[in-house]
Amino acid sequence: MKPTKLIISAFGPYASEMPPVFFDKFEEKGLFLISGDTGAGKTTIFDAISFALFGTSSGSYRETKSMRCETAAPKTESFVDFYFSHQGHEYRIKRWVPYERINRNGNITDEKEKAELYRDSAPLLSGVRNVDAEIPNILHINAKQFKQLAMIAQGEFWELLNAKTAERTEILRNIFDTNGYKNLVLKLKDKYDEAKKKKENAELLILRDFSEVSCSEAGQYPERLAELKATVGESKSAW
């Protein structure tokens, strides 16, 4: 996923709609850093992107309802409008922050969370549940994995470092789409187990038949046969 544009309105510390952030200006550099002094708004950018995609903040300590700017005018909508490219498609997701406001009659009105998803400029889905279900299908990661891998919030880096090996493996497998290799390994293992089982069964049949071999007492063969059976017995116990 490559972010291309971000628009926020009445979100975090910003009381009105802010000028768009154009991430595609940095594409030639390949990698760019979001930096600034404490309180400059770095986390707000992360929160906005995470909220647009998954309806949650980028950290564990900020609730969705608290994302609306407290000083925003009642008529100013709280939303995040996020544009990104992914696997040959251009996506746009717009999500409105839920909050309470006082209407013209002096009563408290609940503004519900809303979400819209577009692909290649065409409407794809609308409704929070539909969009929430589709984003993990597009990105192949869920909100927790996104925060662990793509945007690690301040003070939470230890969560990724201390994640279980299986969890980190699953995250990286989804990101780099290596499930095909995993399936290939499983198929090869099945074929190996099948071939090994056939080999073991064949050896058991040979050993069973050999154990029934006998010869007359005359000559050197009885002694030699006894040695071979002893050797086979030892190898069978080791095997």
Side-chain angles (χ1 to χ4, degrees):
M1 182 195 77
K2 291 184 178 180
T4 55
K5 185 169 70 171
L6 176 67
I7 303 173
I8 61 177
S9 175
F11 186 90
Y14 304 108
S16 59
E17 183 174 331
M18 300 301 295
V21 178
F22 294 99
F23 295 99
D24 53 2
K25 290 183 178 180
F26 308 100
E27 283 188 353
E28 294 182 359
K29 302 297 182 182
L31 182 68
F32 57 89
L33 173 68
I34 298 176
S35 63
D37 296 334
T38 301
K42 302 183 298 296
T43 302
T44 300
I45 294 177
F46 297 154
D47 281 344
I49 294 176
S50 181
F51 173 73
L53 293 173
F54 301 103
T56 62
S57 68
S58 64
S60 304
Y61 311 106
R62 293 176 292 279
E63 296 182 356
T64 303
K65 290 185 177 180
S66 65
M67 292 181 182
R68 175 174 169 82
C69 180
E70 295 180 354
T71 60
K75 293 182 179 180
T76 302
E77 289 187 314
S78 284
F79 66 84
V80 174
D81 200 358
F82 180 51
Y83 297 71
F84 65 94
S85 60
H86 185 67
Q87 296 184 342
H89 294 283
E90 298 294 329
Y91 291 93
R92 174 193 177 193
I93 181 169
K94 187 174 183 179
R95 193 184 294 263
W96 285 261
V97 179
Y99 66 97
E100 295 180 347
R101 68 176 179 85
I102 300 177
N103 60 24
R104 64 182 61 183
N105 297 322
N107 299 321
I108 296 178
T109 300
D110 286 328
E111 294 291 340
K112 304 297 184 181
E113 181 179 343
K114 298 180 293 183
E116 296 174 352
L117 179 62
Y118 302 81
R119 182 170 60 195
D120 298 328
S121 301
L124 182 61
L125 289 170
S126 63
V128 173
R129 289 186 179 181
N130 294 331
V131 173
D132 286 351
E134 184 63 18
I135 290 298
N137 293 333
I138 294 174
L139 301 181
H140 302 296
I141 53 175
N142 56 34
K144 181 180 178 181
Q145 293 169 336
F146 180 79
K147 288 187 285 187
Q148 285 180 317
L149 185 67
M151 292 187 176
I152 304 175
Q154 299 179 59
E156 296 181 13
F157 186 69
W158 65 272
E159 290 187 4
L160 176 61
L161 296 179
N162 292 308
K164 295 181 179 179
T165 301
E167 185 177 358
R168 288 200 302 268
T169 300
E170 187 64 25
I171 292 173
L172 296 175
R173 180 179 293 123
N174 289 331
I175 285 294
F176 295 106
D177 196 19
T178 60
N179 284 309
Y181 300 103
K182 176 186 176 183
N183 295 334
L184 176 61
V185 170
L186 292 176
K187 288 183 179 180
L188 290 174
K189 185 178 183 302
D190 290 340
K191 288 185 176 296
Y192 169 79
D193 292 341
E194 182 180 354
K196 183 180 178 182
K197 188 66 176 178
K198 289 181 179 180
K199 171 180 173 291
E200 292 173 351
N201 290 336
E203 288 179 347
L204 288 174
L205 291 174
I206 293 173
L207 292 174
R208 185 194 66 184
D209 293 340
F210 185 72
S211 65
E212 298 175 355
V213 173
S214 62
C215 62
S216 63
E217 296 292 336
Q220 59 181 353
Y221 297 109
E223 183 178 347
R224 179 58 177 158
L225 181 61
E227 293 177 355
L228 290 174
K229 286 187 176 183
T231 302
V232 168
E234 292 176 359
S235 63
K236 180 180 177 182
S237 61
W239 173 71

